[in-house]
Amino acid sequence: MTVFNTLLEAVAHCDNFPYVLDPKKEDDEMHRAIPFLLGAHTIGHVLPSVLVALKDYNQTTPVFTISDSSVQFSETVQTSQERTLAVKALMDSWRQNKTFDVLAGWRDELYPVYGDENEPDNIAFVMERASAALFGVSTFGVHLNAYIRNDQGEIFMWVARRALTKPTWPGLLDNCVAGGISYNYSVKETIVKECEEEASIPSHLASQARSVSLITYYTCSPGALQPETEYLFDLELPQDFKPIPRDGEAECFYLWPLQKVKETILNNEWKPNCALAAIDFFMRHSFITPDDEPEYIDISYRLHRRLEFPTPRKGLNR
Amino acid sequence: MTVFNTLLEAVAHCDNFPYVLDPKKEDDEMHRAIPFLLGAHTIGHVLPSVLVALKDYNQTTPVFTISDSSVQFSETVQTSQERTLAVKALMDSWRQNKTFDVLAGWRDELYPVYGDENEPDNIAFVMERASAALFGVSTFGVHLNAYIRNDQGEIFMWVARRALTKPTWPGLLDNCVAGGISYNYSVKETIVKECEEEASIPSHLASQARSVSLITYYTCSPGALQPETEYLFDLELPQDFKPIPRDGEAECFYLWPLQKVKETILNNEWKPNCALAAIDFFMRHSFITPDDEPEYIDISYRLHRRLEFPTPRKGLNR
């Protein structure tokens, strides 16, 4: 397993979608991703491996207009409901035919895909969570850094060990609580719900979690493109409170000094994007500072990557 | 005076250098800025109005290689010392001839210009602070959000009114303390020094200021290009402590609830970049959240603009 010399390397390990696409790099299919367009907006990316399957499906069910340089919905698929149904039929077909491994992780959970501001709630359509990475659409989530201060004021962070049964990143370290934001949930509702489900943090404590920051990055792995926007919360817990796994997502929780958190990040023991949420905490709590972290600025750039996709412009708490 | 409908408009008012240059926009010279190159790096930008004067100077003192698409040092100017001397002679000449108004604000204060990692401390050369905007080079500063919590835990922010005698943005609102980072100063040294000079905050209090964040943006005004990196500090002051103007930079200080700070930002009463430091505080202290601020993500992108210039890669506290 790769280990990292610097925190910036750990950040870049997650934020690994190319900043400039170079289609000549034929050994890396990420460079040959093409835009999924909706009107004037790029709302996602499609990899060559997905494009092949999409062209195949489209021969019998022509719902997309496909060229070598872009994919978009065909003229017969124009409303958000029509798009939702077209994408659902496609994914049902791929799931049934076992075309893509990622669809084995089907969750029956809908994610919004944002588009033009003129759309209702500027949502272009909604799609199954597990299928989002096939279209490289922006997804949204929450991460909680839960911590205590000891009597000397020193910070200790609650860190989760992911269950060995998780389909993704089993056994790796994670933030105390994290989760995706489903269609029709607000950010605050999501964090309170996940606190209860993942760590048995009751709502009277979870509701004290404070919205403090945002990280944006674009991570990819073979066959999957994940531009992600994560709303970060801090929650200082009472010294005597212990998070307890509840829904089986977490194996156990550790209470660690920040130095230990940093060492395990450099040792590549974390789910990559969760390390970013912890590093953002390091910056906000002066654990790393510009005088002692030579790559402070570059870390900040990559924690706040500007994604080209439309953003929810009406707030999430509709 | 323009007022803003949203915080994003206030941010964009500061971060106003184009994201994509379109030289066809002839009425806006910002679009016709060309890169100032050093090896493989872009280390600044030169506006058409500066380019004319640079070509003129270069006829008698050929220290630059100038084309329609870029400016770089000539082959006779290769070391950091040679670059420093060449730029100093140029600026002395322009200052003497009153070629550019910005040089009237000469400060006898040196700013580093970062370049290749192989340079000593990766500093390509140093130049007079007042001249940096003519070459559009990255500059670095500190901003302090000083605040108190009342007995109910509510936050009140100390806001400075800039002196009417300041050459730039006289009479506008400002963060409690802010300043540029000169050559050979660390970030922490700078904040402690500025606290004493601008607001009479003694070092035993100032040293409790906590490094919490970074904002990066690219601001421009006629004839001046300012890509800036500002290290942010929070300092919770005792309830009974009052900052007092000392060096004449601040006219007075106000202690305001965050709602009043927001209103004055929307009313365009702030020096533009200082509003960004306050808005970053709003995010970190949950005064604005993703559920109630529809443009939360776009604000975050623009507070963390990725500047293309080299960064100090060895830390500032050498």
Side-chain angles (χ1 to χ4, degrees), chain A residues 109-112 121 123 126 181-185 318:
Chain A
E109 194 181 324
L110 292 175
Y111 269 8
D121 296 328
I123 293 174
V126 297
I181 301 173
S182 299
Y183 179 53
N184 267 339
Y185 277 83
R318 289 176 299 275

Side-chain angles (χ1 to χ4, degrees), chain A residues 186-188 211-212 214 231 283-284 286 290-291 294-295 297-298 300-301 304-307 311-313, chain B residues 186-188 211-212 214 231 283-284 286 290-291 294-295 297-298 300-301 304-307 311-313:
Chain A
S186 76
V187 178
K188 188 78 186 208
S211 166
V212 287
L214 183 73
Y231 301 100
M283 296 178 110
R284 289 182 291 99
S286 289
D291 285 322
E295 298 172 319
I297 298 170
D298 296 273
S300 171
Y301 286 157
H304 302 99
R305 179 169 183 160
R306 188 186 186 87
L307 303 171
T311 52
R313 292 298 286 270
Chain B
S186 76
V187 177
K188 188 78 186 210
S211 166
V212 287
L214 182 73
Y231 301 100
M283 295 179 111
R284 288 182 293 99
S286 290
D291 284 323
E295 297 171 321
I297 298 171
D298 296 273
S300 171
Y301 287 157
H304 302 99
R305 180 169 182 161
R306 188 185 185 87
L307 303 170
T311 52
R313 292 297 287 269

Side-chain angles (χ1 to χ4, degrees), chain A residues 37-316:
Chain A
L37 301 177
L38 185 80
H41 299 289
T42 295
I43 58 167
H45 284 127
V46 177
L47 288 171
S49 52
V50 176
L51 192 64
V52 169
L54 202 59
K55 282 178 174 171
D56 191 43
Y57 177 84
N58 212 46
Q59 283 187 336
T60 52
T61 318
V63 289
F64 297 99
T65 302
I66 303 174
S67 77
D68 286 344
S69 61
S70 70
V71 171
Q72 51 193 304
F73 288 105
S74 71
E75 287 184 10
T76 58
V77 181
Q78 286 298 301
T79 67
S80 67
Q81 195 182 9
E82 285 165 355
R83 293 178 202 125
T84 296
L85 291 173
V87 171
K88 182 178 187 318
L90 167 70
M91 296 302 168
D92 283 344
S93 163
W94 281 351
R95 186 186 179 197
Q96 198 173 349
N97 297 330
K98 299 194 163 76
T99 311
F100 293 105
D101 290 346
V102 294
L103 297 182
W106 198 272
R107 291 170 178 248
D108 274 324
E109 194 181 324
L110 292 175
Y111 269 8
V113 178
Y114 293 93
D116 201 276
E117 287 180 51
N118 299 321
E119 304 282 344
D121 296 328
N122 82 317
I123 293 174
F125 59 98
V126 297
M127 73 192 297
E128 157 64 24
R129 174 174 176 164
S131 66
L134 293 175
F135 277 180
V137 298
S138 249
T139 62
F140 301 81
V142 293
H143 285 245
L144 178 78
N145 286 300
Y147 64 100
I148 65 147
R149 281 181 209 273
N150 69 10
D151 295 340
Q152 288 72 49
E154 295 160 334
I155 288 177
F156 292 74
M157 184 184 273
W158 281 106
V159 172
R161 170 82 65 193
R162 293 167 69 83
L164 291 166
T165 52
K166 292 273 287 183
T168 56
W169 313 100
L172 291 192
L173 300 171
D174 200 331
N175 305 117
C176 182
V177 170
I181 301 173
S182 299
Y183 179 53
N184 267 339
Y185 277 83
S186 76
V187 178
K188 188 78 186 208
E189 281 166 359
T190 304
I191 196 77
V192 171
K193 176 172 74 72
E194 296 286 344
C195 276
E196 178 78 43
E197 290 176 5
E198 293 192 354
S200 315
I201 300 173
S203 63
H204 75 272
L205 282 178
S207 60
Q208 293 170 29
R210 299 166 58 252
S211 166
V212 287
S213 189
L214 183 73
I215 56 174
T216 47
Y217 52 85
Y218 197 155
T219 194
C220 55
S221 52
L225 298 175
Q226 294 172 274
E228 294 187 327
T229 298
E230 305 288 358
Y231 301 100
L232 303 192
F233 286 74
D234 276 2
L235 175 59
E236 183 173 347
L237 286 167
Q239 288 182 9
D240 60 356
F241 180 86
K242 288 185 174 45
I244 298 167
R246 183 166 155 191
D247 62 4
E249 301 271 314
E251 170 80 23
C252 60
F253 293 96
Y254 307 114
L255 186 61
W256 283 345
L258 297 184
Q259 186 58 37
K260 169 87 173 173
V261 176
K262 181 178 175 181
E263 285 163 12
T264 51
I265 289 173
L266 293 174
N267 205 31
N268 201 1
E269 297 179 44
W270 281 66
K271 178 171 180 260
N273 67 328
C274 301
L276 272 57
I279 292 169
D280 188 89
F281 184 93
F282 292 170
M283 296 178 110
R284 289 182 291 99
H285 289 268
S286 289
F287 180 66
I288 61 173
T289 74
D291 285 322
D292 57 39
E293 171 49 65
E295 298 172 319
Y296 194 85
I297 298 170
D298 296 273
I299 290 171
S300 171
Y301 286 157
R302 297 194 80 152
L303 292 181
H304 302 99
R305 179 169 183 160
R306 188 186 186 87
L307 303 171
E308 63 186 302
F309 315 104
T311 52
R313 292 298 286 270
K314 296 181 183 173
L316 288 161

Side-chain angles (χ1 to χ4, degrees), chain B residues 34-289:
Chain B
I34 61 172
F36 184 0
L37 301 177
L38 185 80
H41 298 289
T42 296
I43 59 167
H45 284 126
V46 177
L47 289 171
S49 51
V50 176
L51 191 65
V52 169
L54 202 60
K55 283 179 173 169
D56 191 44
Y57 177 86
N58 212 44
Q59 283 187 336
T60 53
T61 317
V63 290
F64 298 98
T65 302
I66 303 174
S67 77
D68 286 344
S69 61
S70 71
V71 171
Q72 51 193 305
F73 288 105
S74 72
E75 287 185 8
T76 59
V77 181
Q78 287 298 301
T79 67
S80 66
Q81 195 181 8
E82 286 166 353
R83 294 178 203 124
T84 297
L85 291 173
V87 172
K88 182 178 186 319
L90 167 70
M91 295 303 168
D92 283 345
S93 164
W94 281 351
R95 185 187 180 197
Q96 199 173 348
N97 296 332
K98 299 194 163 81
T99 311
F100 293 104
D101 290 346
V102 293
L103 297 181
W106 198 272
R107 291 170 178 247
D108 275 325
E109 195 180 323
L110 290 175
Y111 269 8
V113 179
Y114 293 93
D116 201 277
E117 286 181 53
N118 299 321
E119 305 282 344
D121 296 328
N122 81 318
I123 292 175
F125 60 97
V126 297
M127 73 191 298
E128 157 63 25
R129 174 174 176 165
S131 66
L134 294 174
F135 278 179
V137 297
S138 250
T139 62
F140 301 81
V142 293
H143 285 246
L144 178 77
N145 286 300
Y147 63 100
I148 65 149
R149 281 181 209 273
N150 69 10
D151 295 340
Q152 288 72 48
E154 295 160 333
I155 288 178
F156 292 75
M157 184 184 275
W158 281 107
V159 172
R161 169 81 66 193
R162 293 168 68 83
L164 291 166
T165 53
K166 291 273 287 184
T168 55
W169 313 98
L172 291 193
L173 300 171
D174 200 330
N175 306 118
C176 182
V177 169
I181 301 173
S182 299
Y183 179 53
N184 268 338
Y185 278 83
S186 76
V187 177
K188 188 78 186 210
E189 280 166 0
T190 304
I191 197 77
V192 171
K193 176 171 75 69
E194 296 284 344
C195 276
E196 178 77 43
E197 289 175 5
E198 293 191 354
S200 314
I201 299 173
S203 62
H204 75 272
L205 282 178
S207 59
Q208 293 171 29
R210 298 168 58 252
S211 166
V212 287
S213 189
L214 182 73
I215 55 173
T216 47
Y217 53 86
Y218 196 156
T219 194
C220 56
S221 51
L225 298 175
Q226 294 172 273
E228 294 187 326
T229 299
E230 306 288 357
Y231 301 100
L232 302 193
F233 286 74
D234 276 2
L235 176 58
E236 183 173 347
L237 286 167
Q239 287 182 11
D240 59 357
F241 180 86
K242 289 184 175 44
I244 298 168
R246 183 166 154 191
D247 63 2
E249 301 270 313
E251 170 79 23
C252 61
F253 293 96
Y254 307 113
L255 185 62
W256 283 345
L258 297 183
Q259 187 58 37
K260 169 86 173 175
V261 175
K262 181 179 175 181
E263 284 163 11
T264 53
I265 288 173
L266 293 174
N267 205 31
N268 201 0
E269 296 179 46
W270 281 66
K271 177 171 181 256
N273 67 328
C274 300
L276 272 57
I279 292 168
D280 188 270
F281 184 94
F282 291 169
M283 295 179 111
R284 288 182 293 99
H285 290 267
S286 290
F287 179 65
I288 61 174
T289 75

